[in-house]
Amino acid sequence: MSDILKDKVVLVTGAASGIGRAIAISAARHGAKAVIVSDVTETPHEGGTQTTAEIEALGVLTRFQRTDVTQHAEVDALVDAAAEFGGVDVMVCNAGITLREDGPDVAESDYRRLMAVNLDGVLFGAQAAARQMKARGKPGSIVLMASMGGIAGAGMTVAYSTSKGGVVLMAKALADALGPDGIRVNAICPGTIDTHLLRTNPGIAAASEGFRQRTPLRRLGKPSEIGDAVAWLGSDMSSYVTGIALLVDGGLLSVI
Ligand SMILES: NC(=O)c1ccc[n+]([C@@H]2O[C@H](COP(=O)([O-])OP(=O)(O)OC[C@H]3O[C@@H](n4cnc5c(N)ncnc54)[C@H](O)[C@@H]3O)[C@@H](O)[C@H]2O)c1
């Protein structure tokens, strides 16, 4: 499709399904040298093996590594594994969850479980990647998965919005901290994207039809459309872009 990621090693968490899987495959389509596919389980929905098989079919080096992003040591080991290909150039901290029961009365255990994946897991990934980039003296691009729910609030997703708003500010703070080393950090904020997460969460599934009707482009987004945006943020085409929260939402948050 393009070679904007030529010679780059891309690592994606939560990449065995949905948006993460699409990001990993897009990276291969955009010319990455190697794509490391990681997830907490190899077969959540579509499957890690299927993802690596598609990437291999594109002639790109790949491997699956099981990693729970809430476990600091596992995330460090994941990033260390990129050394096999020369080290990570593009780190995509994508893994994230929603809750079946979210909102103002969210249960403490659910809240902590969600924060552990959506916030802690994202920070651990960014930290490990930045450390490796600095040690190699080869700055790269770190992309953090936020959401339109991190820019505009929704009463039914109080915990989720809180976590994604945190990711947006995490990107800005890390961009400030790591910019002097040449490392770029950006957040990406998808709108309503047609994935398993959307179809299996009844509250979000019900809301999505309303979102679709209000979206200027009048359709849900495709996972590959997030993959292409991440490829751009990971590439040198965006070399002066850091600290942004890039909305990829069909225009939904631009209208009233
Ligand atoms: N689908 C949407 O409309 C939408 C919109 C905005 C943002 N997002 C975000 O995009 C990301 C991907 O969502 P998706 O829609 O592809 O959902 P998904 O459920 O299909 O994929 C999420 C992946 O994360 C993995 N994961 C969960 N916990 C993990 C952990 N502890 N360690 C490692 N991996 C773990 C899951 O196994 C799964 O493969 C999430 O961060 C989500 O919040 C999705």
Side-chain angles (χ1 to χ4, degrees):
M1 189 187 271
S2 85
D3 65 354
I4 59 173
L5 291 176
K6 189 169 181 291
D7 297 332
K8 297 206 190 285
V9 175
V10 180
L11 197 165
V12 189
T13 66
S17 77
I19 292 175
R21 172 174 151 77
I23 292 170
I25 293 169
S26 288
R29 288 187 189 282
H30 287 291
K33 177 172 92 176
V35 181
I36 300 171
V37 173
S38 144
D39 208 297
V40 68
T41 150
E42 193 159 339
T43 52
H45 316 305
E46 287 95 349
T49 315
Q50 260 174 273
T51 309
T52 50
E54 260 190 64
I55 292 169
E56 256 165 24
L58 292 164
V60 174
L61 298 169
T62 187
R63 71 126 96 178
F64 178 85
Q65 177 144 339
R66 205 207 64 79
T67 308
D68 180 346
V69 295
T70 68
Q71 302 304 308
H72 211 150
E74 289 188 22
V75 177
D76 285 349
L78 171 66
V79 172
D80 285 349
E84 173 188 349
F85 301 114
V88 64
D89 299 298
V90 181
M91 176 75 187
V92 188
C93 304
N94 161 77
I97 59 171
T98 56
L99 298 174
R100 284 198 161 259
E101 310 266 339
D102 200 341
D105 298 317
V106 61
E108 181 181 345
S109 58
D110 282 346
Y111 178 82
R112 293 198 189 285
R113 184 166 58 87
L114 178 131
M115 291 300 165
V117 181
N118 291 13
L119 265 184
D120 304 5
V122 169
L123 181 65
F124 296 162
Q127 286 176 323
R131 249 193 318 268
Q132 190 188 73
M133 287 171 188
K134 283 194 218 174
R136 291 170 66 211
K138 193 159 177 266
S141 168
I142 300 174
V143 182
L144 312 183
M145 181 54 68
S147 168
M148 67 174 177
I151 295 187
M156 65 174 189
T157 54
V158 169
Y160 183 78
S161 288
T162 304
S163 72
K164 295 301 188 178
V167 170
V168 168
L169 263 295
M170 190 192 296
K172 292 178 188 295
L174 287 175
D176 185 36
L178 300 173
D181 292 300
I183 299 170
R184 299 185 296 114
V185 188
N186 293 289
I188 185 149
C189 301
T192 322
I193 308 301
D194 193 7
T195 67
H196 177 266
L197 182 148
L198 191 110
R199 278 176 253 129
T200 53
N201 185 311
I204 295 180
S208 70
E209 178 51 19
F211 288 146
R212 188 192 68 73
Q213 287 171 11
R214 295 208 320 271
T215 297
L217 291 178
R218 294 291 188 277
R219 64 174 176 84
L220 302 183
K222 294 182 272 187
S224 63
E225 292 177 309
I226 305 303
D228 287 341
V230 170
W232 177 73
L233 282 175
S235 78
D236 298 340
M237 303 275 289
S238 59
S239 53
Y240 201 51
V241 178
T242 195
I244 67 162
L246 179 64
L247 265 170
V248 184
D249 68 344
L252 179 58
L253 289 200
S254 301
V255 296
I256 51 173

